[in-house]
Amino acid sequence: MANLLKISDAASLGLHATAVLAAREDRITTTAEIAEWLNVSEAHLSKVLQRLHKAKLVESVRGPKGGFRLSRAAEEISLL
């Protein structure tokens, strides 16, 4: 049953990163923080977050205090 749903590593990483951002909805989270939480490569995560940004699921905030946050409330985002 472990292979019930087959998705790519990038898709899995995107789902997990979105979940981390949903849990920290009250603040901006850096790529480094998410990568540390998920124990993944920061470079790979950065590419996945760029794709999520392009899909308008997350928004990026530039600057020294920058990072990522969900583009809308977590309740409004579904897996579908």
Side-chain angles (χ1 to χ4, degrees), residues 43-64:
H44 188 205
L45 177 62
S46 180
K47 290 179 182 182
V48 170
L49 288 170
Q50 287 173 4
R51 292 178 75 179
L52 291 174
H53 177 69
K54 198 174 207 179
K56 299 185 178 169
L57 289 172
V58 301
E59 58 184 37
S60 62
V61 178
R62 299 179 90 178

Side-chain angles (χ1 to χ4, degrees), residues 30-48:
T30 66
T31 305
E33 289 174 312
I34 300 169
E36 187 177 326
W37 276 42
L38 299 176
N39 195 28
V40 296
S41 160
E42 195 174 332
H44 188 205
L45 177 62
S46 180
K47 290 179 182 182
V48 170

Side-chain angles (χ1 to χ4, degrees), residues 9 12 15 17 24 27 35-39 43 45 50 78 80:
D9 287 339
S12 176
L15 289 171
R24 301 167 60 95
R27 58 178 289 213
E36 187 177 326
W37 276 42
L38 299 176
N39 195 28
L45 177 62
Q50 287 173 4
S78 75
L80 295 176

Side-chain angles (χ1 to χ4, degrees), residues 17-34:
T18 304
V20 169
L21 292 174
R24 301 167 60 95
E25 199 169 16
D26 58 327
R27 58 178 289 213
I28 295 169
T29 308
T30 66
T31 305
E33 289 174 312
I34 300 169

